[in-house]
Amino acid sequence: MQGLVVLHEDVQIVPLAEIPPQVRGQLGGQDGDFALTRPFSRNPSKVIDASAASLLRQFRSPRTIVDGILAYSKEAKVRAADVLEEAYPLIESCLRSSLLVEPGATSEKIQPSLAPGDSIDGNVVEQPVQALVDSEVYQVRTSSGRLAVLKIATPNAGPAMEKMLVREAAILRLINGAPAPAFLGMKTGGTGRPWLLAEWFDGDDAQTKAQKIRETRVPADLTTVCAKILDAYATLHEHGVIHGDVHPRNLLVSESGEIRIIDFGISHLANRPVPQPPRAGVAFFFEPEYAQAILDGVTPPAQTLSGEQFSVAALVYSLLCGNNYTDFSFDKDTLLRQIVEDKPLPFERRRATFSAALESVVKRGLEKNPAARFKSTRDFADAFRAAVAPVSSAAVPANDRESKFLLDRVLEVIAAPDSPLTYEGPASPTASVTYGQAGIALAAFRIASARDDARLFALADAWVERAAVATTNPFYSAAVQITPETVGRITPWHTASGVSAVQAMIASARGDMLSLDSAVNRYLQQTSGDCVSPDLTLGRASVLLGLTLLIEANGPARPPHLLERGNQIHAALLELMEREPAIGLGGSIVYLGMAHGWAGLLYASLRWSRLTGTRPPAVVEARLHQLAALARYSGNRARWPVQAEPGAITMPGWCNGSAGSVFLWTLAHSFFGNSLYLDLAEKSAMDAFAGSGGGHGLCCGFAGQAYAQLNIYNHTGERVWLQQARVLTEKAAAYGNRVREGLPHSLYKGDIGVAVLTAELEKPETAAMPFFESPR
């Protein structure tokens, strides 16, 4: 535009600090930013920074764009050429949204054309509700005395508005009531303005309702509302209706929690070979398929039920977290790229304290790949309800008889930190995480956390201090082939560094910063030696995973010296991945599984990337594809050979088998959103559930296989995995109670790990495999 432009007189530039919290939560932005909005416009508000606000204020009086930029650049003391380049997307967006207009257009104010007491075909206006450029909404009283909502075209609206009213009426008739307003009548054609009459429904819009609930600090009420919203859209979709305009203001929630979806003017029926209405709505809730088409400059595909499922998931995320799933830009192309590429921010980044299972369910609805979403919105709604529903002790007992007996036996051991630990088999290390007292300390700590038991927490402290001063075979025993030559000298699973790691975790939990710093420094020193092995339980990856666990236990703080060490180790592991030939074609890494092979290296790398908030390097995804290609399938199950060679055996356990694979593929799926990874995780979990032969421990047996089920349960929210975890826990406990031999006091090889699993099943959404996953 070469002529004069001016900010429309309705446009407001308001500091975010002055905006109500429930509105600001939807806008995002930071302190010092501004909201740019035109009341009653169909365009959503934009968040702009202080410099953009200053630039737009130059157009409060008519001037050319060049003159406005020159005036701003002089005021801000910056180069006009730089301002023009940086401000172009904002200026172009404001022109497109009619925020910047020609001077003559500023008198076109949007306001209701009817006043209380006016009558429209016998319907008496009680009060205006909304006025937009093409339609107005009023609360009216019908001739029978019933309250209703009247939507009427504005005097200057074109034929498109009448088509929208006709379409909305047809959809309302089809749905025939809840979750949509009941249809009451309409007028089209002839003289006068077309209108639509529907049921009046008293309620807050969903955004306002969510904010009110957050202020009461009763999160269960918020999940209840979200579950009902999902049910409402599921019902809509079961009628074959795609709403087409998902955002919080198109949902009303009554005081009792009833839901109504409103505004069906651009709705249509799925899978009908008829022209669809033009797309509209709030961009924050657009699905990636639509955004990608706009970026590519091609005709967008027909909107689908799966696409709207994404929109509903974005809506639910915003209601639960008080903010959108990513921090959207005001620039159109950048925003569209964010919809296509940005992963949903973790709930904790939004300070939302819902369970990991619930977060996983919402994130599945937000999968970029439609195939990775739920098969239907009803499945989404069911999974959401399952993730928030309390576990019924009648339906799924917290502890079965065998598990309770084993847990009680282990608690008797934990209760006596001064008693000798006796084994019927060969002598084993007495102090390590895997075999000895540090593992018992970690078990006591995890059970204490699951049960909120201060006594067990104190016992954890006693056990780890006993491990720190152990002198008899503390970390090595030739009788069980645990020697410096077999396990090395730095791994926290088998050496003194593991004792320091457990001390640090316990110190962090009790807020003892002095002891925490001391333990962390010992860990760094004890893991500083040379190590050729890269693997997850014996080599450099074990040290990296240990650092990850320590930093995660430390909360929001990210100590720079720990990050520096971790980045160094991670870089070395990535260099190794770059040098090695394709997986399965030789090289120095011959194993494929979690404890000693490629799965473990990739898992450690992904965990570090998640911790540091960085995107995994390309080599990691390339290696994931290579590993995926080596899967062996059997029906709904997948497994990998221990080594990539003909005739190599397969195992169901964590260390070298399908149970360990589950953890890798759920983590990969959370990063990349590739439905292949979720499919591999599910098929690996099924294989782990079906397998046996490794005993009862975490390493090779039923307990590790059960934790794999819990991992995918917390990733998907689907309760079948929880049920399978309980079955495997019962098997593990029965085995431990029956076979009293070997290494019963070992965290990874004996009863101790099964006891932790049993205790954590009381709160399965918090369950995490000890010294491998961080507690949720």
Side-chain angles (χ1 to χ4, degrees):
M1 180 179 289
Q2 301 298 318
L4 299 177
V5 295
V6 64
L7 271 180
H8 197 289
E9 63 184 57
D10 288 351
V11 169
Q12 299 174 9
I13 301 175
V14 184
L16 285 186
E18 299 177 8
I19 292 177
Q22 64 267 30
V23 178
R24 181 172 178 176
Q26 283 296 312
L27 293 175
Q30 302 174 350
D31 292 340
D33 288 345
F34 292 76
L36 175 67
T37 185
R38 183 185 178 193
F40 307 117
S41 167
R42 287 192 178 273
N43 295 304
S45 299
K46 306 175 188 292
V47 174
I48 57 176
D49 61 21
S51 60
S54 297
L55 171 62
L56 290 177
R57 289 193 188 100
Q58 303 298 325
F59 297 96
R60 283 298 185 192
S61 57
R63 55 179 44 177
T64 66
I65 291 173
V66 171
D67 286 344
I69 288 176
L70 288 173
Y72 168 76
S73 62
K74 182 177 179 181
E75 179 183 291
K77 299 180 180 179
V78 294
R79 292 176 62 237
D82 294 337
V83 176
L84 180 60
E85 181 178 352
E86 294 178 7
Y88 177 77
L90 173 64
I91 297 292
E92 191 269 341
S93 174
C94 289
L95 290 169
R96 189 174 60 247
S97 303
S98 297
L99 302 179
L100 282 172
V101 296
E102 294 179 352
T106 59
S107 61
E108 300 170 3
K109 298 196 67 165
I110 303 172
Q111 55 188 1
S113 62
L114 302 175
D118 289 348
S119 178
I120 296 291
D121 296 319
N123 301 297
V124 179
V125 174
E126 293 278 320
Q127 59 180 326
V129 176
Q130 184 184 59
L132 298 172
V133 293
D134 53 6
S135 65
E136 300 164 6
V137 179
Y138 297 91
Q139 182 192 57
V140 300
R141 194 170 294 278
T142 68
S143 57
S144 65
R146 178 179 184 176
L147 281 178
V149 60
L150 180 85
K151 181 183 287 190
I152 186 169
T154 58
N156 297 322
M161 189 63 226
E162 183 169 351
K163 289 181 179 179
M164 289 178 67
L165 291 174
V166 170
R167 183 183 300 111
E168 182 162 11
I171 294 292
L172 293 181
R173 287 191 183 102
L174 173 66
I175 300 170
N176 194 27
F183 173 77
L184 299 180
M186 77 174 305
K187 174 188 174 183
T188 59
T191 60
R193 295 150 61 184
W195 52 258
L196 168 71
L197 194 68
E199 168 196 20
W200 175 262
F201 185 79
D202 253 327
D204 292 319
D205 68 77
Q207 178 178 305
T208 301
K209 184 71 171 181
Q211 179 59 27
K212 287 180 178 179
I213 294 174
R214 277 192 291 274
E215 290 170 356
T216 67
R217 300 183 182 276
V218 184
D221 290 349
L222 189 52
T223 56
T224 297
V225 167
C226 288
K228 290 181 177 180
I229 289 171
L230 284 167
D231 285 337
Y233 278 103
T235 300
L236 208 65
H237 289 177
E238 287 164 350
H239 280 88
V241 173
I242 294 174
H243 182 257
D245 194 7
V246 174
H247 62 77
R249 294 189 302 281
N250 276 344
L251 277 163
L252 298 179
V253 186
S254 73
E255 188 67 29
S256 64
E258 260 196 286
I259 304 292
R260 289 292 184 275
I261 302 172
I262 62 173
D263 200 353
F264 289 84
I266 57 173
S267 301
H268 61 282
L269 299 180
N271 305 318
R272 292 290 180 90
V274 295
Q276 293 191 5
R279 285 296 296 264
V282 177
F284 302 154
F285 304 98
F286 287 162
E287 72 274 23
E289 304 92 278
Y290 176 71
Q292 185 66 65
I294 299 301
L295 286 171
D296 293 342
V298 300
T299 302
Q303 191 178 16
T304 64
L305 296 173
S306 178
E308 187 153 278
Q309 182 190 137
F310 181 96
S311 301
V312 175
L315 169 71
V316 169
Y317 182 106
S318 72
L319 297 177
L320 292 173
C321 298
N323 213 325
N324 295 306
Y325 63 85
T326 193
D327 295 323
F328 285 111
S329 168
F330 66 80
D331 174 60
K332 175 186 174 184
D333 287 346
T334 302
L335 183 149
L336 291 172
R337 280 194 294 272
Q338 288 177 302
I339 294 171
V340 173
E341 298 173 2
D342 282 11
K343 301 297 181 187
L345 292 171
F347 277 17
E348 66 177 355
R349 286 276 299 276
R350 297 304 195 196
R351 298 184 178 180
T353 56
F354 300 98
S355 72
L358 186 66
E359 182 173 359
S360 295
V361 170
V362 176
K363 285 185 174 179
R364 183 170 178 184
L366 287 168
E367 287 287 353
K368 304 299 184 184
N369 182 351
R373 297 171 200 152
F374 292 95
K375 292 180 181 178
S376 70
T377 306
R378 177 62 66 194
D379 287 346
F380 186 4
D382 290 344
F384 187 94
R385 286 189 178 278
V388 298
V391 178
S392 167
S393 58
V396 186
N399 289 306
D400 55 55
R401 182 176 58 83
E402 293 281 6
S403 298
K404 186 177 185 306
F405 181 64
L406 183 140
L407 177 58
D408 288 343
R409 285 198 297 106
V410 170
L411 288 175
E412 288 179 6
V413 174
I414 291 174
D418 295 329
S419 65
L421 297 178
T422 58
Y423 297 93
E424 295 181 5
S428 70
T430 60
S432 69
V433 168
T434 300
Y435 288 102
Q437 296 145 5
I440 297 175
L442 183 59
F445 173 50
R446 293 289 291 270
I447 298 171
S449 299
R451 294 187 160 191
D452 196 20
D453 189 323
R455 175 176 170 274
L456 279 172
F457 189 81
L459 288 168
D461 209 9
W463 274 104
V464 78
E465 293 310 312
R466 178 179 174 182
V469 298
T471 56
T472 304
N473 300 328
F475 305 111
Y476 301 113
S477 172
V480 289
Q481 297 182 343
I482 303 298
T483 66
E485 292 71 30
T486 57
V487 300
R489 299 182 182 275
I490 65 171
T491 167
W493 301 78
H494 293 284
T495 72
S497 64
V499 178
S500 298
V502 176
Q503 286 176 316
M505 293 175 189
I506 294 173
S508 178
R510 67 167 181 258
D512 183 350
M513 294 300 104
L514 184 62
S515 296
L516 172 62
D517 288 343
S518 178
V520 166
N521 288 332
R522 286 196 301 276
Y523 180 87
L524 291 174
Q525 181 179 3
Q526 291 158 345
T527 57
S528 62
D530 293 334
C531 179
V532 175
S533 171
D535 80 40
L536 185 73
T537 58
L538 306 178
R540 287 170 286 169
S542 73
V543 178
L544 182 64
L545 181 59
L547 284 167
T548 305
L549 295 170
L550 291 181
I551 296 173
E552 289 174 342
N554 206 34
R558 296 289 188 265
H561 60 304
L562 297 186
L563 289 172
E564 181 180 1
R565 172 70 73 83
N567 285 331
Q568 291 171 352
I569 298 173
H570 189 217
L573 291 175
L574 292 175
E575 288 178 8
L576 175 66
M577 291 187 202
E578 292 279 8
R579 292 196 307 267
E580 287 286 307
I583 301 176
L585 298 181
S588 63
I589 306 171
V590 297
Y591 290 93
L592 300 184
M594 183 60 71
H596 307 298
W598 275 104
L601 298 187
L602 294 168
Y603 179 82
S605 176
L606 289 173
R607 282 288 297 277
W608 188 254
S609 291
R610 184 174 69 182
L611 175 75
T612 55
T614 56
R615 183 170 178 82
V619 66
V620 172
E621 189 163 18
R623 295 301 191 179
L624 286 169
H625 283 290
Q626 292 170 12
L627 187 60
L630 296 176
R632 297 177 181 177
Y633 294 95
S634 176
N636 67 344
R637 295 157 57 184
R639 66 186 68 158
W640 283 258
V642 174
Q643 297 182 14
E645 59 182 26
I649 63 170
T650 61
M651 300 174 65
W654 170 83
C655 57
N656 285 302
S658 48
S661 299
V662 175
F663 297 89
L664 173 64
W665 297 119
T666 56
L667 184 56
H669 182 253
S670 70
F671 263 107
F672 302 107
N674 188 330
S675 59
L676 168 66
Y677 299 154
L678 180 61
D679 183 65
L680 289 173
E682 292 174 336
K683 286 181 167 60
S684 299
M686 289 305 300
D687 191 71
F689 176 69
S692 62
H696 69 313
L698 293 175
C699 180
C700 316
F702 291 127
Q705 293 158 236
Y707 266 117
Q709 311 299 311
L710 288 172
N711 174 272
I712 195 168
Y713 164 65
N714 282 314
H715 184 71
T716 65
E718 295 177 4
R719 294 181 72 81
V720 62
W721 308 115
L722 175 59
Q723 294 164 358
Q724 292 184 176
R726 294 187 181 282
V727 171
L728 289 170
T729 303
E730 165 75 353
K731 288 183 178 181
Y735 185 100
N737 292 332
R738 184 177 71 253
V739 183
R740 304 289 189 88
E741 60 185 30
L743 304 165
H745 305 311
S746 164
L747 175 65
Y748 259 71
K749 300 285 188 177
D751 297 342
I752 305 297
V754 183
V756 179
L757 168 64
T758 299
E760 292 195 330
L761 271 172
E762 296 172 8
K763 297 178 181 178
E765 287 77 18
T766 67
M769 189 160 169
F771 215 70
F772 181 63
E773 298 180 282
S774 289
R776 294 176 172 83

